[in-house]
């Protein structure tokens, strides 16, 4: 099925692929950065008609070791999110929602699922601080940091825009797209987009199929 509609494309451009300033009420914090076609809209996810290729990212994990995203998640169901640990609201909520849903999976499926958090604030999110923050969510979550230009380029490969952190009203704010992209273990393509409004129940319903490479 390859149905494409103007409304669907507009939805993704205006709502799914946006920049979000965590903790900011600035109306200019959100702006469309890309347009992609969609095949369908499930209750929770946007199903892409033309899936994303997994970002070509080689960064540093929370143990200080080199992490090749494509190589180390090859053939595995993978969720990727770009955010930062000092985010006061959206980032911890999204990671918590995923962690809750992951615990509902059978142990074997939990071991298969890869959840990758790539920082958009690498200057403050060192491997150590990133690792400590992720352990409070789920110890198995992978945290990646590195050079900001490389991270920004990797994010744009999957339609997510991020801006360099900047000071705003006495604090440092990182503007970034707040979508979670799900990659199939069968094709290594990113075929599902989840917004920041996705609930733990939504993820709980969808994760079993994502692990199998099926469309929810």
């Amino acid at each position: 099925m390859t149905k494409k509609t103007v409304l669907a494309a507009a939805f993704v451009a205006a709502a799914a692929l946006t920049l979000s300033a965590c903790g900011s009420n600035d109306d200019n914090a959100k702006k469309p950065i890309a347009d992609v076609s969609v095949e369908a809209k499930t209750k929770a996810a946007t199903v892409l008609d033309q899936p994303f290729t997994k970002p070509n990212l080689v960064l540093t994990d929370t143990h200080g070791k080199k992490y090749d995203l494509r190589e180390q998640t090859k053939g595995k169901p993978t969720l990727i999110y770009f955010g930062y640990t000092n985010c006061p609201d959206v980032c911890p909520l999204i990671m918590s929602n995923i962690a809750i849903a992951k615990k509902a999976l059978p142990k074997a499926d939990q071991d298969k699922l890869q959840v990758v958090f790539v920082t958009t604030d690498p200057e403050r999110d060192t491997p150590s601080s990133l690792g400590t923050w992720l352990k409070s969510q789920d110890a198995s979550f992978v945290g990646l940091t590195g050079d900001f230009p490389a991270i920004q380029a990797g994010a744009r490969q999957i339609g997510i825009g991020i801006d360099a952190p900047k000071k705003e009203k006495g604090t440092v704010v990182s503007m970034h797209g707040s979508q979670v992209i799900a990659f199939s273990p069968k094709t290594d393509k990113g075929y599902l987009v989840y917004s920041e409004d996705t609930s733990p129940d939504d993820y709980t319903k969808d994760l079993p199929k994502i692990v199998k490479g099926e469309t929810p």
Side-chain angles (χ1 to χ4, degrees):
M1 184 174 72
T2 57
K3 293 183 180 178
K4 306 173 187 176
T5 69
V6 174
L7 284 177
F11 166 80
V12 175
L17 301 178
T18 60
L19 291 181
S20 176
C22 294
S24 171
N25 293 319
D26 185 356
D27 290 337
N28 293 320
K30 294 186 177 182
K31 56 184 177 182
I33 63 148
D35 189 8
V36 298
S37 58
V38 302
E39 182 174 285
K41 181 70 174 70
T42 69
K43 181 178 179 181
T46 296
V47 184
L48 302 182
D49 184 47
Q50 297 177 354
F52 290 117
T53 297
K54 195 170 289 180
N56 184 20
L57 272 175
V58 179
L59 298 172
T60 302
D61 67 15
T62 55
H63 302 290
K65 296 182 179 180
K66 173 183 171 183
Y67 188 96
D68 186 322
L69 180 65
R70 286 183 177 175
E71 184 64 29
Q72 295 191 235
T73 62
K74 185 177 181 180
K76 300 176 182 178
T78 304
L79 303 182
I80 297 178
Y81 178 74
F82 288 80
Y84 68 117
T85 65
N86 285 283
C87 172
D89 40 36
V90 177
C91 301
L93 177 61
I94 288 175
M95 299 310 288
S96 175
N97 288 346
I98 294 173
I100 291 170
K102 183 186 173 187
K103 288 181 174 66
L105 288 170
K107 182 61 168 60
D109 287 347
Q110 289 187 43
D111 293 340
K112 293 176 184 177
L113 183 66
Q114 305 295 297
V115 180
V116 181
F117 181 96
V118 185
T119 182
T120 60
D121 185 11
E123 185 172 338
R124 291 187 294 172
D125 285 344
T126 64
S128 177
S129 64
L130 185 55
T132 298
W133 187 81
L134 284 173
K135 283 181 181 178
S136 67
Q137 302 285 352
D138 187 306
S140 72
F141 286 179
V142 175
L144 301 179
T145 187
D147 294 332
F148 180 81
I151 292 171
Q152 185 179 50
R156 288 192 175 277
Q157 289 174 34
I158 55 175
I160 294 176
I162 62 175
D163 288 345
K166 63 181 180 181
K167 288 187 178 181
E168 184 177 291
K169 298 179 181 179
T171 187
V172 178
V173 175
S174 176
M175 294 178 64
H176 60 88
S178 56
Q179 292 70 46
V180 174
I181 312 296
F183 289 80
S184 169
K186 295 180 179 179
T187 64
D188 282 320
K189 297 290 186 179
Y191 66 118
L192 297 173
V193 179
Y194 290 90
S195 74
E196 63 186 70
D197 298 322
T198 305
S199 70
D201 286 344
D202 291 329
Y203 282 119
T204 299
K205 291 176 182 177
D206 287 5
L207 284 184
K209 291 189 176 181
I210 289 173
V211 168
K212 296 177 182 178
E214 300 173 354
T215 299

